[in-house]
Amino acid sequence: SQMETCYLNTQDQKNRVLEEAKLWFNDLFIQKLNDIFVVWNLGVDNSKIIETPQPKQNIIVFNHRAAAYKGYPAFIKLMEEYREKRQDFTVWVPQLDGKPEHSWIDNTKVAKHDYYKKLQSCTVGVQMRQTNYGWSVAATDCMMNGTPMIYQESDCYREIEPDGMFFKFKKDLFETLDRLLDNSEFRLEQSIKSIERAKELSLNDGRMIKILNEKLRA
């Protein structure tokens, strides 16, 4: 409350902090916090956005930390069930340490450049709901490399990709995965949409830095 400005990287985060604060503070204090909290959606480095989607392999990537707060256990449970339906895909979890629990999980770790290159060959990434309701750099990593993301429904992800692919129920996730794995036209369409959205997000940092400079001059 003593700060002039406190930046958060999603509106969803801001809303949730204010809702929690309402349990403890009066309306005047809440209004003060509302003025202090400013949303700064993170940007994407325009120089790293590819122009054309690359050929895909049947790889589903989970390029987040393999931790509970990132939804990893729930993701693996879904993939185990999806494997009962079809077995023509692998799952890449580059931040998973130790030996994977299944032979179809690949946790090969690569350098940054090679990480981007391998993302380009993945059919899709999956973003599970997470407990911090923050921005997903893992999602924008996929998007700028032409790999579409499927998001578990959460308001913060709508800020990243308002017209993206979302699921509430596992049947919806499985149906979307089937379309991406089986329908090359749909896969290409979603890859192009991801690249175009990444280009839009690349404007975020410049816009916010301009606002920050104006604040510093005031």
Side-chain angles (χ1 to χ4, degrees), residues 150-210:
I150 304 175
Y151 306 88
Q152 186 174 22
E153 190 64 60
S154 188
D155 288 346
C156 59
Y157 303 145
R158 295 280 180 182
E159 298 176 49
I160 298 173
E161 201 168 0
D163 299 319
M165 297 178 290
F166 288 81
F167 75 95
K168 290 184 179 179
F169 306 105
K170 62 184 177 184
K171 69 178 181 61
D172 301 320
L173 170 63
F174 295 167
E175 287 174 1
T176 305
L177 287 173
D178 282 344
R179 287 191 72 189
L180 287 164
L181 291 170
D182 297 334
N183 187 327
S184 60
E185 289 185 8
F186 179 70
R187 183 167 60 244
L188 179 60
E189 174 189 320
Q190 294 302 318
S191 295
I192 292 171
K193 282 179 64 177
S194 296
I195 293 170
E196 292 307 309
R197 178 58 180 164
K199 290 177 180 178
E200 292 174 3
L201 293 175
S202 71
L203 304 176
N204 280 353
D205 281 345
R207 177 172 54 83
M208 292 304 298
I209 288 172
K210 181 180 178 181

Side-chain angles (χ1 to χ4, degrees), residues 38-54:
V38 175
V39 176
W40 186 331
N41 288 156
L42 301 183
V44 177
D45 187 343
N46 188 63
S47 67
K48 290 184 170 63
I49 302 173
I50 68 171
E51 289 296 327
T52 307
Q54 300 302 298

Side-chain angles (χ1 to χ4, degrees), residues 56 59-64 75 92 119 122-128 138-139 142-143 147-152 165 167 173 177 180:
K56 299 295 187 183
I59 302 172
I60 299 170
V61 62
F62 186 92
N63 57 325
H64 324 274
F75 167 76
W92 183 36
L119 279 181
C122 295
T123 292
V124 63
V126 176
Q127 173 71 70
M128 301 297 289
C142 279
M143 293 162 63
T147 298
M149 292 293 291
I150 304 175
Y151 306 88
Q152 186 174 22
M165 297 178 290
F167 75 95
L173 170 63
L177 287 173
L180 287 164

Side-chain angles (χ1 to χ4, degrees), residues 83-106:
R83 286 287 298 191
E84 296 174 7
K85 179 180 180 181
R86 60 189 297 169
Q87 295 79 45
D88 61 339
F89 68 92
T90 58
V91 173
W92 183 36
V93 190
Q95 297 195 57
L96 175 64
D97 294 324
K99 184 179 179 180
E101 54 263 64
H102 299 290
S103 61
W104 41 268
I105 297 176
D106 173 21

